[in-house]
Amino acid sequence: MKPRKQIPAYRNICELLARRIKSGELRQGDAVSSERDLAAEFGVSLMTARHALQVLTTEGLLSRRPSVGTYVAPAKIHFNKLASFTEEMLARGYKPESRVLSATLTSQNDEVCSKLCLPAGSNLNRMQRLRLTGGEPFSIETCYLSAQRFDGILAQDFELKSLFSIISEVYGVTISYADEEIDATSADPKTARLLKVRPGSPILRIRQLLYGSTTPIIYSTALYRSDRHSLLVRRFR
Amino acid sequence: MKPRKQIPAYRNICELLARRIKSGELRQGDAVSSERDLAAEFGVSLMTARHALQVLTTEGLLSRRPSVGTYVAPAKIHFNKLASFTEEMLARGYKPESRVLSATLTSQNDEVCSKLCLPAGSNLNRMQRLRLTGGEPFSIETCYLSAQRFDGILAQDFELKSLFSIISEVYGVTISYADEEIDATSADPKTARLLKVRPGSPILRIRQLLYGSTTPIIYSTALYRSDRHSLLVRRFR
DNA sequence: AAGTGGTCTAGACCACGGC
DNA sequence: CCGTGGTCTAGACCACTTC
């Protein structure tokens, strides 16, 4: 009988392989153990080993060739790299600033709960920040995180440290990717005042669901002055 | 013994469900049969039914909520990879339409010339199309191509065939990727009239530079009704 | 308590690629 | 021919939500 663990067996395999790839022990084009070898090595069934390889494949780390084997995928140039506001501004040579507009608990947002895979009515940390560069307003960002998992996070100083670094250093959670929904909207009076634009001005809205490994961690809505910001994306055929 | 088929069982389930979703028989938020019900219905094992649901989930058609059920995901039109308007709409089960607003030669656009790596003042094919689905306007697209390289392309029937297929079949050029710049703007009177929105309404603008292997081929600006379109992007850390 | 998705077992046959 | 990934079976237990 296997000792029952909290973390699934396939996750352990995933993490081991991911570590080997990220450390450089396994490099682009290298073959990884076959399903059957992995199953034997970890003492799991074929299905479980297979599941691990499948997960890493959809994450883009591995590439499977039927009848041939499983290989470490080419290190993708992530043109569309996910970066925090702080990182992005520093990279462009701006001095990023952040003003916290609010930081409260809420349990009234079932839409966000479901996006974060939390039970409806769960407590959420909600914080709103105004982003500035060179003293000029740039965007308004609203973030939601599980209040249970990130207990006490609202006490942190978000004007000093980025949310990414706090959840990483204090809570041990690393963001790995984000799904973003991008559309256009108009500035309502409050937004207009904060961003110093005329009410009704076009606003670029980016709604992100940020994932740590495979679980959604943060839901965020950002409203950008569209005269100050445009999003660059590279898409492949 | 089951009769061996060429197409996998889970594919059949996928296609049936996908058809029901695209036809409108199953709509956003509707529950789909559970793994167990599907397995019984199709006479397959749990794993197989589960696989079908998993595939449709990663394709974005379904959304699974543990302990609750599997639901039809919000039918947002989303652009994961680079596809033509025609391809995108067909994949979503919509009937794409296109109305050519203009198709002319111009030599007055040096900004586009430089983006396409052409000498300033070069002749350009310029065509403007109104995109519709279900008879309702969706976006306005303006494309520029080198008049020299794509001589005579304006004589093609763009309401029948996609630009992608014409440049591929007639000129032997395959699009491989695109760099996009995304921002928000407001509808000017002409745009508003064509898209049937109020002047000043928020508009999502996507400016693309499309590359064939490594050379820029097409420059295009698209204006989307932001109530009908949002862009989905996945970004990695 | 019933139902759901998530994980897992211990096997099986297939088509295909490389030797 | 052998190893590979792709598909599939017929079960199982778990944690969780809903009633």
Side-chain angles (χ1 to χ4, degrees):
Chain A
M1 194 74 75
K2 292 256 146 51
R4 276 248 140 261
K5 292 185 174 188
Q6 291 204 324
I7 40 179
Y10 80 90
R11 275 255 137 252
N12 290 324
I13 305 178
C14 283
E15 270 153 33
L16 180 86
L17 291 177
R19 228 179 305 133
R20 283 191 187 155
I21 292 169
K22 284 170 185 161
S23 76
E25 190 181 335
L26 283 170
R27 277 184 296 185
Q28 174 181 159
D30 288 358
V32 309
S33 315
S34 73
E35 303 176 344
R36 289 160 180 80
D37 289 352
L38 276 180
E41 189 182 334
F42 284 87
V44 297
S45 81
L46 252 184
M47 268 288 320
T48 306
R50 177 180 180 70
H51 189 19
L53 293 179
Q54 208 86 67
V55 166
L56 291 177
T57 301
T58 59
E59 282 182 7
L61 283 176
L62 298 179
S63 156
R64 315 198 76 188
R65 311 223 315 256
S67 317
V68 180
T70 303
Y71 298 87
V72 178
K76 284 189 205 149
I77 297 157
H78 282 140
F79 200 83
N80 314 324
K81 214 184 116 199
L82 178 60
S84 73
F85 170 77
T86 311
E87 291 163 344
E88 206 159 330
M89 288 304 125
L90 287 173
R92 293 185 199 179
Y94 296 108
K95 194 181 57 171
E97 294 165 79
S98 209
R99 194 185 311 152
V100 175
L101 300 174
S102 69
T104 57
L105 273 174
T106 176
S107 58
Q108 303 298 316
N109 201 324
D110 288 353
E111 194 194 332
V112 173
C113 285
S114 88
K115 282 183 196 296
L116 291 175
C117 294
L118 297 171
S122 296
N123 277 323
L124 295 167
N125 292 312
R126 174 181 183 276
M127 71 192 73
Q128 257 191 316
R129 287 177 291 178
L130 182 67
R131 310 293 213 169
L132 309 95
T133 50
E136 281 300 300
F138 183 86
S139 75
I140 303 169
E141 200 180 301
T142 310
C143 293
Y144 295 87
L145 299 86
S146 161
Q148 193 189 328
R149 185 154 180 194
F150 297 96
D151 187 34
I153 201 172
L154 295 180
Q156 299 280 337
D157 185 353
F158 291 103
E159 308 209 347
L160 217 83
K161 304 202 68 175
S162 84
L163 178 57
F164 274 34
S165 61
I166 289 172
I167 67 159
S168 161
E169 290 163 21
V170 182
Y171 297 88
V173 175
T174 309
I175 296 300
S176 60
Y177 69 94
D179 282 336
E180 304 189 348
E181 188 179 355
I182 300 147
D183 63 4
T185 182
S186 306
D188 61 37
K190 187 186 164 196
T191 303
R193 185 171 44 77
L194 287 167
L195 290 180
K196 292 191 186 169
V197 295
R198 287 202 313 278
S201 297
I203 297 288
L204 187 67
R205 176 168 53 190
I206 303 184
R207 288 178 276 206
Q208 291 183 312
L209 188 56
L210 295 110
Y211 292 80
S213 62
T214 58
T215 45
I217 300 293
I218 304 174
Y219 181 72
S220 119
T221 301
L223 303 174
Y224 292 88
R225 279 183 66 154
S226 99
D227 55 348
R228 288 271 169 82
H229 183 279
S230 73
L231 183 69
L232 295 182
V233 168
R234 177 170 287 187
R235 281 154 65 191
F236 295 88
R237 184 114 172 108
Chain B
M1 194 72 75
K2 292 251 147 54
R4 276 250 139 262
K5 292 185 175 187
Q6 290 204 326
I7 39 177
Y10 80 90
R11 275 259 142 248
N12 289 325
I13 304 178
C14 282
E15 271 153 34
L16 180 85
L17 290 177
R19 226 177 309 130
R20 283 193 187 153
I21 291 169
K22 285 168 183 167
S23 76
E25 189 180 337
L26 283 171
R27 277 183 296 185
Q28 173 181 162
D30 288 358
V32 310
S33 315
S34 74
E35 301 176 346
R36 289 158 180 82
D37 288 352
L38 276 181
E41 188 182 337
F42 284 87
V44 298
S45 82
L46 253 184
M47 268 287 320
T48 305
R50 177 179 180 71
H51 189 19
L53 294 178
Q54 209 86 66
V55 166
L56 292 177
T57 300
T58 61
E59 281 181 8
L61 283 178
L62 298 180
S63 158
R64 314 197 76 187
R65 309 227 313 261
S67 315
V68 180
T70 303
Y71 297 86
V72 178
K76 278 284 180 184
I77 290 156
H78 74 254
F79 287 53
N80 291 340
K81 50 177 183 245
L82 181 58
S84 74
F85 170 78
T86 311
E87 292 165 342
E88 196 68 52
M89 289 305 127
L90 286 174
R92 305 280 157 211
Y94 296 106
K95 194 181 56 168
E97 294 165 79
S98 208
R99 195 183 310 151
V100 175
L101 300 173
S102 69
T104 57
L105 273 175
T106 176
S107 58
Q108 304 297 317
N109 202 324
D110 289 352
E111 193 194 331
V112 173
C113 285
S114 86
K115 283 183 197 295
L116 291 176
C117 295
L118 297 171
S122 296
N123 276 324
L124 295 168
N125 291 313
R126 174 183 184 275
M127 71 191 73
Q128 257 190 316
R129 288 177 289 178
L130 181 67
R131 310 294 213 168
L132 310 96
T133 51
E136 282 300 301
F138 183 84
S139 75
I140 302 170
E141 201 180 299
T142 310
C143 293
Y144 295 88
L145 299 86
S146 162
Q148 193 190 326
R149 184 155 182 191
F150 297 96
D151 186 34
I153 200 173
L154 295 179
Q156 298 281 335
D157 185 352
F158 291 103
E159 307 210 346
L160 217 85
K161 302 202 70 174
S162 83
L163 178 56
F164 273 35
S165 62
I166 289 172
I167 67 159
S168 160
E169 289 163 22
V170 182
Y171 298 88
V173 175
T174 308
I175 297 300
S176 60
Y177 69 94
D179 281 337
E180 304 188 349
E181 187 179 351
I182 300 147
D183 64 3
T185 183
S186 303
D188 62 36
K190 188 186 164 198
T191 304
R193 184 172 45 78
L194 286 168
L195 290 181
K196 293 192 186 168
V197 296
R198 287 203 314 279
S201 297
I203 297 288
L204 187 68
R205 175 168 55 190
I206 303 184
R207 288 177 277 206
Q208 292 183 313
L209 188 57
L210 296 108
Y211 292 80
S213 62
T214 57
T215 46
I217 300 293
I218 304 173
Y219 181 72
S220 118
T221 300
L223 302 173
Y224 292 89
R225 279 184 65 155
S226 106
D227 56 347
R228 287 273 169 80
H229 180 278
S230 75
L231 183 70
L232 273 204
V233 170
R234 175 169 289 190
R235 289 158 80 190
F236 295 88
R237 184 103 175 116

